[in-house]
Amino acid sequence: MLPLFQNYPGLKEKLPHVPLGNFPTPVQKLERLGEKIGAGRLYIKRDDLSGEIYGGNKVRKLEFILGQAREKRAAEILTFGFAGSNHALATAIYAKETGLRSISMLLPQANAGYVRRNLLMGFQTGAELHYHRNYFAVIWGTLLVLAKHRFRSGRFPMVIPPGGSSTRGIIGFVNAAFELREQVKAGQLPEPDRIYVALGTMGTAAGLILGLRAAGLKSRVIPVRVVDRKYADAGNLARLLRRVNAFLSGLDRSFPRIEYPETDTMIRHDYFGDDYALFTPAGMEAVALMEEREGIKLEGTYTGKALACLIEETERNRGRDQVILFWNTYNSRDFTPLIRGADYHRLPRGFHRYFEDEVQPLDPGYKKDI
Ligand SMILES: *Cc1c(COP(=O)(O)O)cnc(C)c1O
């Protein structure tokens, strides 16, 4: 049973949940990276291994989102992201496993090898991919697609917000905090002082902060912002957290209402660089260091930037002997065999440029890419 339900049995019948992944995800000590940066007690939470075909942080969210879809008897789901969106891909893969069709409304982003791979994999999975040039186009495009599907099947697709950060999705990370507490209790790691995690649509951080408080852990979450400030800031993070808190306490009165002032947030803004999905030198150094020292693959859009922050702050605090946990939100399953030979020409025209243009200069993997 899910750790959250074990602690709050009242939530179990009220929150439909579809098991999609492998949980708990392992916790591992990073001896060699820790030694290099002066952290004697550095750990990683391997959410990259959360799913068999595709891991990463979206699997936890989708277990609750697709639970809700099943409850609503939805046949199709529609979601949003940038062209290389891990969320859109994870949704396509797991929706298909659950018997749902998925529709992805995608926006432009900086080019990289993973954008090509994610697009091909999404297409291969059977997702309906739409390219939109800007926000205006995405809004109109969505209304049009919703109307079209309604006309064809008599029902609107269920709409999921970007990053899967709906109330239901975020509960996946409330549960993750209870999962971590079990691992602390079992002696797999000491109670962390700091948990570093990338901050995108904020669902991961909001769920973790709420869950840790409810679980009575004193660990501080350090969210490292990797999207534009207009999407992620202290006020919005606090609002998201309070919304999920009110929802859970409403379903089960024994779920605590926590105080979460906006000033409490530890968001780090200095690792974002110039744009979303534009890799930074510090981020790519962090990616290279993790690969070289621990053999774990990260990437430049989210996890590299978060790890760069962890490294810099740990080196600055040398000698403090804190327990530091890096929450790995990226997928590490290699799905390239599944897209070998796939032809990008079959994708909608707007996506072709990701295959025809160069990738950004800091993308190290581009030579190996399709
Ligand atoms: C989506 C994503 C995140 C961000 O999580 P949010 O809940 O949107 O803040 C972090 N890392 C990776 C690899 C992601 O795909």
Side-chain angles (χ1 to χ4, degrees):
M1 207 199 321
L2 291 185
L4 178 67
F5 294 162
Q6 269 165 29
N7 285 274
Y8 300 99
L11 293 176
K12 189 168 162 42
E13 71 258 31
K14 293 179 183 153
L15 283 174
H17 166 268
V18 204
L20 302 170
N22 302 328
F23 298 106
T25 56
V27 166
Q28 189 180 319
K29 193 165 190 203
L30 300 175
E31 294 280 1
R32 291 170 298 263
L33 179 62
E35 192 184 311
K36 167 88 178 158
I37 65 172
R41 296 189 289 168
L42 176 64
Y43 294 82
I44 186 169
K45 180 70 169 153
R46 301 286 311 264
D47 269 11
D48 54 304
L49 301 173
S50 62
E52 282 298 332
I53 329 165
Y54 194 71
N57 65 340
K58 303 308 181 302
V59 181
R60 293 184 186 275
K61 297 178 178 184
L62 286 165
E63 290 197 334
F64 286 94
I65 293 171
L66 294 175
Q68 185 186 22
R70 197 175 263 182
E71 182 186 49
K72 287 185 167 185
R73 302 183 184 285
E76 297 177 311
I77 52 181
L78 178 147
T79 196
F80 308 91
F82 294 102
S85 172
N86 300 317
H87 161 65
L89 177 55
T91 302
I93 290 171
Y94 291 104
K96 188 177 180 195
E97 283 211 348
T98 322
L100 292 158
R101 279 182 50 81
S102 79
I103 307 158
S104 306
M105 311 303 275
L106 304 174
L107 281 156
Q109 70 162 89
N111 199 8
Y114 84 89
V115 180
R116 298 176 183 173
R117 290 192 296 271
N118 284 8
L119 281 170
L120 290 176
M121 185 64 181
F123 183 74
Q124 204 80 327
T125 307
E128 184 181 310
L129 306 180
H130 294 269
Y131 176 81
H132 299 288
R133 209 175 300 177
N134 54 40
Y135 287 101
F136 185 72
V138 103
I139 291 166
W140 279 109
T142 301
L143 294 174
L144 200 69
V145 165
L146 286 173
K148 220 186 256 174
H149 282 258
R150 167 74 215 254
F151 181 74
R152 246 193 261 155
S153 66
R155 300 197 53 193
F156 284 116
M158 176 174 142
V159 177
I160 302 174
S165 287
S166 64
T167 300
R168 300 294 181 117
I170 292 170
I171 293 168
F173 273 91
V174 177
N175 176 65
F178 283 87
E179 178 183 304
L180 184 70
R181 186 176 73 176
E182 306 258 285
Q183 292 177 312
V184 170
K185 271 195 202 156
Q188 295 177 26
L189 80 165
E191 183 171 347
D193 294 298
R194 292 164 169 245
I195 300 176
Y196 285 84
V197 68
L199 183 72
T201 57
M202 305 185 292
T204 304
L208 276 180
I209 295 168
L210 174 59
L212 290 166
R213 290 279 189 90
L217 291 178
K218 65 172 180 9
S219 314
R220 303 295 312 252
V221 174
I222 318 266
V224 183
R225 181 173 61 84
V226 303
V227 297
D228 196 279
R229 206 172 191 136
K230 64 176 178 277
Y231 306 115
D233 65 18
N236 286 320
L237 178 58
R239 267 189 291 282
L240 206 56
L241 187 152
R242 290 190 200 116
R243 193 179 80 203
V244 178
N245 195 176
F247 179 73
L248 287 173
S249 308
L251 290 183
D252 182 342
R253 276 161 188 261
S254 65
F255 192 93
R257 283 184 184 268
I258 68 161
E259 282 294 314
Y260 188 73
E262 274 177 37
T263 47
D264 220 19
T265 171
M266 314 274 281
I267 298 180
R268 301 297 195 259
H269 295 285
D270 294 339
Y271 298 85
F272 173 58
D274 292 329
D275 200 358
Y276 170 75
L278 204 55
F279 304 168
T280 59
M284 295 322 283
E285 265 172 48
V287 171
L289 205 58
M290 181 67 99
E291 167 98 65
E292 172 196 313
R293 293 260 153 178
E294 304 286 349
I296 297 173
K297 276 197 173 35
L298 302 180
E299 44 68 64
T301 300
Y302 295 94
T303 45
K305 289 176 180 177
L307 184 64
C309 176
L310 180 156
I311 291 174
E312 204 179 293
E313 295 189 356
T314 305
E315 287 183 331
R316 209 187 302 145
N317 294 334
R318 246 173 220 276
R320 259 213 222 164
D321 191 34
Q322 289 191 319
V323 179
I324 299 170
L325 178 66
F326 180 68
W327 202 290
N328 189 6
T329 48
Y330 188 50
N331 160 63
S332 65
R333 304 285 187 202
D334 180 15
F335 57 79
T336 48
L338 300 173
I339 53 172
R340 206 155 282 147
D343 179 10
Y344 75 82
H345 292 98
R346 295 171 61 208
L347 269 61
R349 185 84 197 99
F351 296 115
H352 294 191
R353 70 173 180 87
Y354 293 104
F355 300 85
E356 291 160 2
D357 296 354
E358 293 282 320
V359 296
Q360 57 187 300
L362 287 181
D363 189 350
Y366 73 95
K367 289 201 186 82
K368 295 183 256 140
D369 285 323
I370 309 116

